[in-house]
Amino acid sequence: MKKIRSGLARIEARVRSRHEGIGFHVVMAATVHSDPPYAMDAQEVIDEVRARVRHHAADVLQHCEVFDLPSVQDHCARALSRVRSLACDPPLRFAATVVVGLLPDDQAAVTVLLAAQRKQALEDTLRRQKAQAVAEELADPATALLHMLQGEKADWSKATEDKAASLARIFAQYRPPHPQGSEYALVEVVRQFLDSFTEPEPKRMLYELLAGSMRAANRPQQAVSVEQLMQVSADPQEVP
């Protein structure tokens, strides 16, 4: 047993990680928890256990990241601490401890890889932010039109009064798609409600209700503004 303990006291290996070209340096020690079979000599036991321990470490570490060694260490240590058995008669039970690290060349490769990933992540973030900003800006018809008119092929000679009036109506009806708060949403609902009536009387009743509520809330200036708008609604030619 002394020879077996000595032969299993240090088992080194370089095990590949999930990143091509970068591997872990592992130093393991195995402990036998049962007497070796009579049919196997000490060297056979040593060779078999060392091979099995290296295999188990490789099986675990090939799926691990190289950026968080403490987590990899804990994960691999838990896996190798389980008691396993050699397929012999009687079975030989063993377990292992492990220290996971990186050799200098692998550590340098990790540093380069991490820097490249950070740079790529920054570029991706900036590209997404720019695309989002452009999309939000061009969602406004006025801004989209401005981009078109500022283009090299913009032809102002084709801008007629009818086209300008049509564009003005589109811009007047436009409501930004992004959230603007419950107050804006309420104004939009009231606007749609007013537009749903073709006769002036229901609209006038709503104006009167709003003006009365504003006076009751001690907001006379807003009440006057609503009453002026009510007059405009009754006679579109009369502008306050």
Side-chain angles (χ1 to χ4, degrees):
M1 286 295 293
K2 184 176 180 180
K3 181 179 179 180
I4 292 176
R5 284 195 296 269
S6 176
L8 300 178
R10 185 179 178 88
I11 308 169
E12 288 190 67
R14 183 181 182 276
V15 181
R16 72 182 184 92
S17 69
R18 64 179 299 178
H19 299 281
E20 189 69 29
I22 301 177
F24 295 103
H25 177 242
V26 292
V27 180
M28 298 163 287
T31 303
V32 173
H33 294 283
S34 61
D35 293 332
Y38 294 113
M40 298 177 64
D41 61 26
Q43 191 57 50
E44 286 182 292
V45 172
I46 292 170
D47 293 343
E48 193 69 27
V49 172
R50 288 172 70 92
R52 289 285 300 275
V53 168
R54 285 193 176 101
H55 172 77
H56 293 316
D59 189 50
V60 173
L61 293 174
Q62 66 178 325
H63 305 292
C64 292
E65 293 279 2
V66 294
F67 306 120
D68 186 2
L69 278 180
S71 296
V72 173
Q73 168 68 44
D74 293 345
H75 178 58
C76 190
R78 283 194 301 271
L80 267 65
S81 66
R82 289 169 39 210
V83 177
R84 293 176 169 84
S85 300
L86 291 182
C88 54
D89 188 24
L92 179 71
R93 300 170 63 247
F94 66 93
T97 59
V98 62
V99 175
V100 182
L102 292 169
L103 294 174
D105 287 349
D106 291 308
Q107 182 61 66
V110 170
T111 302
V112 172
L113 178 60
L114 187 58
Q117 288 186 347
R118 286 172 175 164
K119 180 181 178 182
Q120 186 63 49
L122 179 60
E123 291 176 353
D124 292 345
T125 299
L126 292 175
R127 184 174 61 252
R128 285 193 296 267
Q129 289 179 347
K130 182 179 179 180
Q132 182 67 23
V134 172
E136 290 179 357
E137 185 178 5
L138 295 182
D140 184 340
T143 306
L145 178 63
L146 181 61
H147 276 276
M148 293 170 58
L149 295 178
Q150 288 179 335
E152 295 180 359
K153 297 182 179 180
D155 187 358
W156 284 89
S157 64
K158 296 180 180 179
T160 64
E161 184 177 351
D162 291 341
K163 289 183 178 179
S166 176
L167 287 172
R169 285 194 298 271
I170 292 174
F171 296 156
Q173 296 172 0
Y174 172 70
R175 296 296 181 274
H178 50 80
Q180 292 187 313
S182 57
E183 294 86 356
Y184 290 91
L186 178 60
V187 171
E188 180 65 17
V189 171
V190 173
R191 187 188 69 82
Q192 293 175 357
F193 180 65
L194 285 170
D195 286 344
S196 67
F197 295 102
T198 57
E199 299 297 327
E201 186 61 25
K203 294 184 179 181
R204 187 183 66 80
M205 293 175 61
L206 181 57
Y207 280 120
E208 290 176 348
L209 179 61
L210 284 172
S213 300
M214 290 173 179
R215 281 202 167 84
N218 197 24
R219 301 293 190 276
Q221 302 249 344
Q222 284 87 353
V224 171
S225 297
V226 170
E227 289 171 344
Q228 290 175 340
L229 289 173
M230 179 173 61
Q231 296 300 323
V232 174
S233 177
D235 185 3
Q237 299 302 319
E238 182 182 343
V239 180

